[in-house]
Amino acid sequence: MKAIKYLVAGALMLSIAAPTMAQDVKSQVDAITKVLVDAKGDAVAAKSQIKDFVKANKKNAEALAGLGRAFLVAKNYEQAKTYADMAMKVGKNVSAGYILRGDIASAEDDGGMAASYYEMSTQQAPQDPTAYVKYARVYQKVDADGAVAMLEKLRSVKPDYPVDAAAGYMYSSNNKLKTALQYYGKVQNINSLEDYILFDYASTAYVLEDYDKTLQLIAVGVQKYPHYSSFYRVGMYASDKVKKYEDAVNYGNKLFNTTDTIKYTANDYIYYAEALMNTGKFDEAIAAYKHIPEVDPENKETNKLISGLYVKAHRFPEAVAAMEQHITEVGENATYKELDALADIYIDEASVEGATDAVKKAAFENADKVYARMVEKYDYAATYAVWKRALMNHQINSDVKVGRALPYYQQFISLVEPKAEKTASELNKLAIAYTYLAVHYIQNDKKDEAKAWAHKLAEIRPDDPNAQQILSIK
């Protein structure tokens, strides 16, 4: 067979390939597996247990394959091969040994050898569907038609096997999600799917942004597998995407209160907080954000997220405090964008409907102070920050005759005028600055200064009415 180099997701392959063993044998294998894993695959650690186990099961192919799988889990591939070979010898028509040998080859990154053993299993034990599915998954990357043909062969051997679901899972495992969803869509009875297959179906639909299908599948999943926490996770994410925030909160509540061992992520708390915020539960949303450092200690966005939440709640002092804390935490890695976000909080405060003139003035003054910090700390952002200072000061006092924004427009001009090439945005801002200065001086009866700035304005905007009017004054 043509050599295939393909990395198979080992842990997942193991999860669907465990041999069907008697419960007492399985318990012994589990105990040996734990010892071997703790000993990093050293067979000496379980020597006595292994000896007794082999003696009692020397003609039991599934038991021997189970022992070999214990070594596979512990990453002792040579010992795993030994017991896989023993299993194949005593059980020529039992799939367990062949499948184990294929899984070992997969773990060793030898897809060609893995496919060979899986194919051998389909020939020696044609009624076991596992080998067909594994062969297809390994082989799909180099020969999709051959992989599908193997699954169709499975359909002919076991007509009741959910081949379309297996094909969907195969394509999903190889990141061919659109094809996976097409096959999954052929499944007639969704309720018949195993938990990990149903979850993969829902996850595939979610990644492809078919959120309605995702939620339909999740509803089945949580009903049939209530302790499979990942259903609640994707349900929360998908509900948030379609703005079903109450549903997202309900899924979030279940996600954080299920009994199995799931490792939470920063995104879990971010989506949960988003849903809580959109259902008016601001304090609970903030509490959710505060869990992020527990699951992602390197994440420096927590206080920034909390700040944004306070802004939405119009709790501006808390928003400012959280953003300042974020800036402190980021430290030397902070850019001008952190200060820009801080200034935006004050601008949002001034923009709230019903804000008094005093509140607006104070907010714009605070924003101006932030932009002053930006000028001082970040040379590369000085032009941007000076322009924003001009805008803030004009908001504080819009009387052009008084000219509160005058020094900042002048500073902006001094930074931009020397550039040999100017962007359209810079030219537009220069025109605004020139206009401000020309009008300021004409209103203060300083005709010569006004005409000088009007002349500069006319150079970049020849038809500007303000320029023409001031230049026409005798």
Side-chain angles (χ1 to χ4, degrees), residues 376-396:
E376 182 179 350
K377 189 169 184 179
Y378 303 104
D379 291 342
Y380 64 89
T383 302
Y384 170 80
V386 168
W387 176 256
K388 297 293 277 188
R389 293 201 74 187
L391 298 181
M392 294 303 100
N393 280 276
H394 183 65
Q395 290 289 343
I396 294 166

Side-chain angles (χ1 to χ4, degrees), residues 260-311:
D260 68 354
T261 56
I262 185 170
K263 185 177 180 180
Y264 300 123
T265 69
N267 271 341
D268 292 338
Y269 289 109
I270 289 170
Y271 274 93
Y272 188 44
E274 172 81 7
L276 289 166
M277 183 273 293
N278 280 291
T279 54
K281 301 178 177 69
F282 291 104
D283 291 333
E284 291 178 49
I286 290 166
Y289 277 139
K290 289 182 177 179
H291 283 290
I292 292 175
E294 297 172 7
V295 298
D296 187 3
E298 299 302 314
N299 192 309
K300 302 298 183 185
E301 297 294 303
T302 301
N303 279 297
K304 185 177 181 179
L305 292 167
I306 290 173
S307 177
L309 193 59
Y310 278 130
V311 170

Side-chain angles (χ1 to χ4, degrees), residues 361 390 393-410 436-446:
K361 182 175 182 293
N393 280 276
H394 183 65
Q395 290 289 343
I396 294 166
N397 188 336
S398 60
D399 188 338
V400 179
K401 184 176 181 179
V402 173
R404 173 154 181 152
L406 185 71
Y408 307 107
Y409 281 123
Q410 288 174 323
Y436 187 96
L437 269 64
V439 173
H440 167 77
Y441 284 118
I442 202 67
Q443 288 186 357
N444 283 279
D445 298 324
K446 295 183 178 181

Side-chain angles (χ1 to χ4, degrees), residues 117-129:
Y117 278 108
Y118 295 145
E119 185 173 27
M120 202 180 302
S121 179
T122 68
Q123 295 165 351
Q124 299 301 119
Q127 292 300 310
D128 188 339

Side-chain angles (χ1 to χ4, degrees), residues 5 40 57 91 109 112 123 129 211 252 256 301 305 322 332 402 455:
K5 189 73 172 174
K40 301 186 184 307
N57 297 282
D109 229 2
Q123 295 165 351
Y211 301 126
F256 294 113
E301 297 294 303
L305 292 167
E332 293 301 316
V402 173
H455 180 72

Side-chain angles (χ1 to χ4, degrees), residues 185-408:
K186 297 177 183 180
V187 176
Q188 297 297 312
N189 183 8
I190 296 172
N191 284 282
S192 68
L193 298 179
E194 295 178 73
D195 52 8
Y196 73 96
I197 294 284
L198 181 56
F199 176 71
D200 186 73
Y201 186 2
S203 299
T204 300
Y206 175 80
V207 173
L208 293 176
E209 300 183 357
D210 189 345
Y211 301 126
D212 290 337
K213 172 61 71 174
T214 302
L215 291 171
Q216 174 194 347
L217 296 167
I218 292 297
V220 175
V222 298
Q223 182 69 31
K224 189 173 182 183
Y225 305 108
H227 297 298
Y228 199 107
S229 299
S230 293
F231 282 117
Y232 300 120
R233 168 181 282 149
V234 176
M236 178 174 67
Y237 290 6
S239 296
D240 187 85
K241 292 290 187 182
V242 297
K243 303 186 187 308
K244 293 182 178 180
Y245 297 118
E246 289 287 356
D247 290 345
V249 169
N250 290 334
Y251 279 124
N253 289 339
K254 290 176 180 177
L255 172 66
F256 294 113
N257 289 284
T258 45
T259 56
D260 68 354
T261 56
I262 185 170
K263 185 177 180 180
Y264 300 123
T265 69
N267 271 341
D268 292 338
Y269 289 109
I270 289 170
Y271 274 93
Y272 188 44
E274 172 81 7
L276 289 166
M277 183 273 293
N278 280 291
T279 54
K281 301 178 177 69
F282 291 104
D283 291 333
E284 291 178 49
I286 290 166
Y289 277 139
K290 289 182 177 179
H291 283 290
I292 292 175
E294 297 172 7
V295 298
D296 187 3
E298 299 302 314
N299 192 309
K300 302 298 183 185
E301 297 294 303
T302 301
N303 279 297
K304 185 177 181 179
L305 292 167
I306 290 173
S307 177
L309 193 59
Y310 278 130
V311 170
K312 291 178 180 178
H314 292 175
R315 293 162 60 173
F316 297 106
E318 292 107 316
V320 168
M323 184 55 71
E324 290 281 19
Q325 181 62 32
H326 169 71
I327 292 170
T328 299
E329 289 172 350
V330 175
E332 293 301 316
N333 293 321
T335 69
Y336 81 96
K337 291 183 178 180
E338 272 73 33
L339 288 176
D340 200 33
L342 178 59
D344 282 343
I345 297 172
Y346 291 117
I347 294 171
D348 286 338
E349 182 179 17
S351 303
V352 171
E353 185 177 352
T356 65
D357 290 342
V359 168
K360 290 179 181 179
K361 182 175 182 293
F364 287 127
E365 286 176 342
N366 283 325
D368 179 54
K369 291 175 184 176
V370 175
Y371 290 124
R373 287 166 60 184
M374 192 185 298
V375 172
E376 182 179 350
K377 189 169 184 179
Y378 303 104
D379 291 342
Y380 64 89
T383 302
Y384 170 80
V386 168
W387 176 256
K388 297 293 277 188
R389 293 201 74 187
L391 298 181
M392 294 303 100
N393 280 276
H394 183 65
Q395 290 289 343
I396 294 166
N397 188 336
S398 60
D399 188 338
V400 179
K401 184 176 181 179
V402 173
R404 173 154 181 152
L406 185 71
Y408 307 107

